[in-house]
Amino acid sequence: MTDLSDLPPAWSGRRALVWPGVPLLVALALWAYAVRHTDVSRLDDYGLVSALHPAFWAGLAVLTTGFWFTVRDARRPGAWSAAYVLGLLVMERATQAVLYPTPLYAWAWKHEAVIDHLLTAGGLQTADQVGDMAVYDQWPGFFAAQAALQRLLGVDSTAMFMAWWPLVSSLMLLLPLLLIYRTFTEDRRLIWTAVWLFYVANWVGQDYFSPQSVAYALHVGVLAVVLRRFGRSAVRRGRPRQAVWTVVITVMIVAIVISHQLTPGMLAVCLLALCLSRRYRDWVPLVTTVVIFLAWCLTAALPFLSAAMPDMIRSIGDVGANVETGYGATPTGAGAIATSWAARLLSASVLLLAAVGVLRQRVLRHRAWPLLLVAAAPLPMFAASSYGSEMIFRVLLFMLPGAAFFAAAALLPKVRTLAADAAAQETGNRQTTGTAGPRRWGIGTWVPLAALLGGTLAFVPAYSGKDRINYFPPQEVALVRQLFEQAPEGSLVVAANRNYPDAYADYWSVDHYWFLDDARSHVDRIVRDPAATLADDMAGVERPARAYFLLTQGQLANSEMNGQLDKAQLDRIRTSVAASPRFRLVAENSAGWLYVLKQSGGAER
């Protein structure tokens, strides 16, 4: 075990026990005030950053400062540090759920549609029934669990609670993180600072309503069990009973494997890295993961993998292509670029701090060597696949538990062993043990506080800077639902991209075509002659099915901010469709327009 040099409390007595509650309450009061006075009706390219009331930023600064002066006192009850971390999660993960009247992220709405399909179909279906969406039927764990939860709660859809999922999924990570960090240190300052940095640096946005949010929490849980219960020291002490803990991690591994494609691979490389350490040369967790993963891939997931395997094989080793962003994924405009740089600088800062912690803390380099291996293990995945141009973000996410620990060590006093502390006390070296003398608020206090404060504030633009893309106002939700309420089976919905709510509604009976996913040459043809080109693309739909053209606020924001078509080009497309005699306006509101292609022969509805 390790510990940090003790720092005496500022004062003792009742005031010393209750004073940390003052900045915590002030921060939460400022947050509540800010939420009540923030208007999200007109988001700009800076997302939530420019919309937030200034009281929010003041509250976040007070919260971070209060946390730092609380956590750095080793004799302060750990419950206060936990309360500050919970306050951080409320301010950074619950703000959007409180402010926005509808859930964020088109992908979250997509997952809601998959659950609806599972409840409608009553079981899993194959590619010949639901096309490329069958991949969700081949990894159904998360969706089946959410369908059961929806029925248990008696709600109409998971949209009733999925806005709060970022907070829920973040809370699921708290216990396994604490277990991992307590494996390598008993010092509460290091543990809670690492937890704080983990949440601050986790801007990647995989905590939304998704299979990976649960799979990632289970991944961290498996690592916690392995690190605590499968090491040689744990076995020598007579615990655990390996069979019991093997069953525990097997259940978690099965849940991961049947829910998400990438997480089992990340877990396997992390467990393999642990096997390189003498303390964890137990192959049971790794073999269990590989066997279950292969069994699923060769059975339920085989249809998808058979089709995807050629592309997967071609991407192996092509690191440059795997980290390259594709068309439509390049931030455009001052707001999008600023958000992108905030995220990059935040991640780079945490990784740099982690490197400093590794170099500076000799004791941790030895005692937490397995955690360092776990942090480095995901790096080879760059050579395995691009994962839809997202591999760089996923690698960062899976490195984060270890990176946050060593980054926290860089912000705190040098680590020394408990045995060294005991020896110092026996020799009466009061200066070394830090049991006497006044507290000095020097550079070791203010510089780490500035780093912690900067990272905490940078989380907001990194995490919420794209809310103009991710937020769909109620008018947009109503327009899209009006479309699917009237669309007959076999209809076609044409849109610029899939960034709108319920984009996958009725995907088992309604076809979708997003023209910005098409070849650039065809997109250019649409821009030159929008109405005629789109009408030709939509002409193959026969009665009673209909062909609809949908353009919404979310599509416009996504196209502009990701460097696809600018506002002038999109306006040209809409104006051309509106003026064409081949299209008829069905509905419109402040969030978008819906047109239907007129069909030849018979009366037009």
Side-chain angles (χ1 to χ4, degrees):
M1 292 295 182
T2 61
D3 200 1
L4 298 177
S5 56
D6 290 331
L7 294 171
W11 63 83
S12 58
R14 184 172 299 176
R15 287 188 303 167
L17 294 176
V18 302
W19 85 260
V22 175
L24 178 60
L25 292 176
V26 169
L28 292 177
L30 287 169
W31 172 77
Y33 180 85
V35 167
R36 288 181 59 87
H37 293 83
T38 295
D39 181 13
V40 297
S41 60
R42 292 187 178 181
L43 296 175
D44 60 16
D45 287 355
Y46 291 89
L48 191 57
V49 176
S50 57
L52 282 168
H53 190 277
F56 177 88
W57 303 99
L60 202 54
V62 170
L63 184 79
T64 307
T65 305
F67 168 77
W68 177 243
F69 284 106
T70 298
V71 77
R72 69 188 302 271
D73 189 341
R75 301 183 185 183
R76 189 74 59 194
W80 280 119
S81 298
Y84 272 95
V85 168
L86 293 176
L88 176 73
L89 292 180
V90 168
M91 292 187 69
E92 293 194 335
R93 256 71 181 196
T95 299
Q96 292 167 315
V98 175
L99 285 176
Y100 297 123
T102 59
L104 294 178
Y105 302 112
W107 288 97
W109 289 88
K110 177 180 182 178
H111 296 153
E112 192 272 336
V114 175
I115 295 167
D116 183 46
H117 165 248
L118 189 60
L119 291 170
T120 302
L124 307 182
Q125 294 183 285
T126 57
D128 61 335
Q129 295 170 300
V130 290
D132 57 2
M133 291 293 290
V135 63
Y136 294 101
D137 285 71
Q138 291 164 27
W139 276 275
F142 172 81
F143 305 109
Q146 294 299 327
L149 179 62
Q150 179 179 328
R151 284 184 170 173
L152 179 65
L153 296 177
V155 296
D156 294 333
S157 73
T158 53
M160 302 291 291
F161 56 82
M162 69 184 185
W164 292 93
W165 198 257
L167 178 61
V168 172
S169 61
S170 296
L171 288 172
M172 287 192 295
L173 288 164
L174 184 56
L175 178 59
L177 284 173
L178 291 174
L179 292 176
I180 289 174
Y181 297 151
R182 283 177 59 85
T183 303
F184 302 104
T185 181
E186 290 180 344
D187 193 284
R188 291 194 299 267
R189 289 164 296 184
L190 179 55
I191 292 170
W192 285 108
T193 303
V195 171
W196 184 281
L197 284 175
F198 173 87
Y199 284 124
V200 164
N202 187 11
W203 60 267
V204 177
Q206 297 305 303
D207 54 359
Y208 71 101
F209 187 72
S210 62
Q212 57 265 37
S213 65
V214 176
Y216 182 67
L218 291 171
H219 164 88
V220 179
V222 171
L223 291 180
V225 173
V226 172
L227 289 170
R228 292 183 68 85
R229 301 305 184 189
F230 281 80
R232 289 196 302 174
S233 60
V235 174
R236 283 199 302 268
R237 290 195 301 266
R239 61 180 199 271
R241 291 187 171 94
Q242 294 298 98
V244 174
W245 290 112
T246 300
V247 170
V248 171
I249 65 169
T250 298
V251 172
M252 291 193 287
I253 291 169
V254 169
I256 293 171
V257 167
I258 67 174
S259 298
H260 197 233
Q261 303 93 334
L262 180 65
T263 306
M266 288 290 191
L267 179 61
V269 297
C270 290
L271 295 176
L272 177 61
L274 283 178
C275 288
L276 301 178
S277 170
R278 292 181 179 180
R279 275 177 274 176
Y280 292 96
R281 196 157 291 170
D282 190 330
W283 295 89
V284 171
L286 175 60
V287 172
T288 301
T289 301
V290 172
V291 168
I292 295 173
F293 188 30
L294 288 177
W296 187 262
C297 290
L298 295 175
T299 54
L302 186 59
F304 168 80
L305 292 175
S306 299
M309 191 59 67
D311 290 336
M312 295 171 63
I313 293 175
R314 280 194 295 269
S315 67
I316 295 176
D318 193 355
V319 178
N322 289 345
V323 300
E324 183 181 2
T325 57
Y327 166 63
T330 303
T332 303
I337 292 174
T339 294
S340 177
W341 275 105
R344 294 177 188 179
L345 291 175
L346 175 57
S347 297
S349 298
V350 172
L351 293 178
L352 179 61
L353 280 175
V356 172
V358 171
L359 295 174
R360 179 171 176 259
Q361 305 284 15
R362 183 177 179 180
V363 171
L364 283 184
R365 283 205 307 272
H366 170 69
R367 294 191 175 272
W369 170 248
L371 191 54
L372 186 59
L373 289 175
V374 168
L379 287 171
M381 296 298 285
F382 279 129
S385 171
S386 68
Y387 203 69
S389 299
E390 290 189 5
M391 184 58 76
I392 187 171
F393 305 118
R394 304 305 176 93
V395 167
L396 174 64
L397 178 64
F398 282 89
M399 292 177 65
L400 204 49
F405 181 80
F406 288 100
L411 296 179
L412 292 165
K414 276 201 171 183
V415 175
R416 61 191 176 194
T417 62
L418 294 176
D421 280 346
Q425 289 177 351
E426 289 176 2
T427 58
N429 189 345
R430 297 175 65 83
Q431 182 178 1
T432 302
T433 57
T435 56
R439 183 192 298 273
R440 291 181 175 87
W441 308 108
I443 191 171
T445 298
W446 301 110
V447 171
L449 172 58
L452 198 68
L453 186 58
T456 304
L457 295 176
F459 171 88
V460 181
Y463 186 76
S464 305
K466 291 187 177 181
D467 279 8
R468 184 187 164 212
I469 294 176
N470 297 324
Y471 168 55
F472 310 116
Q475 296 90 338
E476 188 168 355
V477 175
L479 182 67
V480 177
R481 287 183 173 171
Q482 182 177 349
L483 160 63
F484 287 103
E485 286 172 0
Q486 66 176 258
E489 185 174 345
S491 293
L492 171 67
V493 177
V494 176
N497 53 53
R498 65 197 74 195
N499 193 61
Y500 54 94
D502 280 331
Y504 290 83
D506 297 343
Y507 64 84
W508 55 95
S509 62
V510 175
D511 293 327
H512 298 78
Y513 168 52
W514 300 287
F515 62 80
L516 288 179
D517 289 349
D518 214 333
R520 188 59 193 259
S521 59
H522 188 70
V523 175
D524 291 339
R525 191 157 58 248
I526 291 175
V527 173
R528 286 194 303 268
D529 191 3
T533 306
L534 288 172
D536 291 342
D537 292 340
M538 301 162 65
V541 178
E542 299 180 355
R543 294 179 183 278
R546 310 302 302 274
Y548 297 90
F549 176 70
L550 176 70
L551 191 61
T552 64
Q553 178 177 301
Q555 297 173 55
L556 298 174
N558 186 77
S559 180
E560 287 183 78
M561 293 184 66
N562 284 327
Q564 294 178 315
L565 299 181
D566 58 29
K567 186 177 186 301
Q569 291 170 313
L570 293 166
D571 285 344
R572 172 181 169 81
I573 292 173
R574 189 196 68 80
T575 303
S576 176
V577 170
S580 173
R582 302 181 66 179
F583 289 90
R584 178 174 62 87
L585 181 65
V586 175
E588 69 173 319
N589 58 32
S590 60
W593 304 265
L594 175 63
Y595 296 88
V596 65
L597 180 68
K598 297 179 181 179
Q599 295 173 309
S600 59
E604 172 64 29
R605 290 185 296 171

